Amino acid sequence: MFDRLEIRVLPPGPRFAAQLRFWVNGEDVVEEAVGEGGRGPYAADVLPAGRPSPLRATGKARRLELGEPDCTGGCCGFLTMVVQRFGEIVQWSDWEVPWTAHTSPHPPPELHFDARQYDAEVARAEAANWWQVHP
C-alpha cells in the first residue's frame, strides 16, 4: 500500500512568507518531526514561479529541506529527506531531524508514493500560486 501526499500552502503571516506543509497519510510531517511551532520551507523556494519544483522526483537522488524548528534550522538543524523515483514509485528516505525535535525521537519512516499520485499533487501545488505576491 502506498503512502499519500498532500501539499498545503500556509498563507503569509506577519513574520514569515507563505510556507509549505507536507501531510502524509493525514499527518503533518513537519509538526510530527520538528514539533509545534516548527516551520515548513518557504513556498517560493519549493514552488518557484516558471520552474519545476525541486519536489519533482527523478531517478537521481537529492536531499530536500522540509522544515525547521521555531528557533531556526541554523541553530538546531533542519528536517531533510532524500527524494528519488524508482519507476512508478517515489521514495522519501534518509531522514535527518533537528536535534531539538522532542516530539519525535526517531526520524519519520521511509515513505513510498505512487508516482502518478505524487506527480499530480506536486503539479497541483505548482499551479496553485494564489500566495505569490506580484508588485
Side-chain angles (χ1 to χ4, degrees):
M1 185 157 140
F2 288 112
D3 295 294
R4 185 157 185 83
L5 175 67
E6 180 183 353
I7 301 168
R8 297 183 186 177
V9 179
L10 301 182
R15 288 182 55 204
F16 300 105
Q19 58 182 287
L20 297 183
R21 291 308 266 261
F22 305 93
W23 288 70
V24 176
N25 305 326
E27 299 290 330
D28 182 341
V29 172
V30 175
E31 186 172 308
E32 289 291 319
V34 176
E36 191 174 332
R39 291 181 300 280
Y42 292 127
D45 294 338
V46 180
L47 303 172
R51 291 182 311 190
S53 170
L55 286 170
R56 290 203 172 260
T58 67
K60 183 177 180 183
R62 70 181 171 284
R63 183 162 295 281
L64 297 177
E65 287 180 14
L66 296 186
E68 63 183 309
D70 60 357
C71 65
T72 77
C75 172
C76 299
F78 293 91
L79 173 65
T80 68
M81 60 77 183
V82 172
V83 61
Q84 186 171 8
R85 178 183 299 268
F86 297 96
E88 295 302 311
I89 298 171
V90 173
Q91 176 179 288
W92 285 9
S93 62
D94 300 317
W95 291 90
E96 293 181 1
V97 296
W99 68 271
T100 61
H102 300 294
T103 59
S104 179
H106 303 287
E110 192 169 279
L111 301 170
H112 300 93
F113 305 99
D114 174 83
R116 288 174 298 200
Q117 186 272 324
Y118 184 92
D119 291 344
E121 181 59 12
V122 172
R124 184 200 61 77
E126 287 174 326
N129 57 3
W130 60 265
W131 51 269
Q132 291 178 345
V133 179
H134 299 285

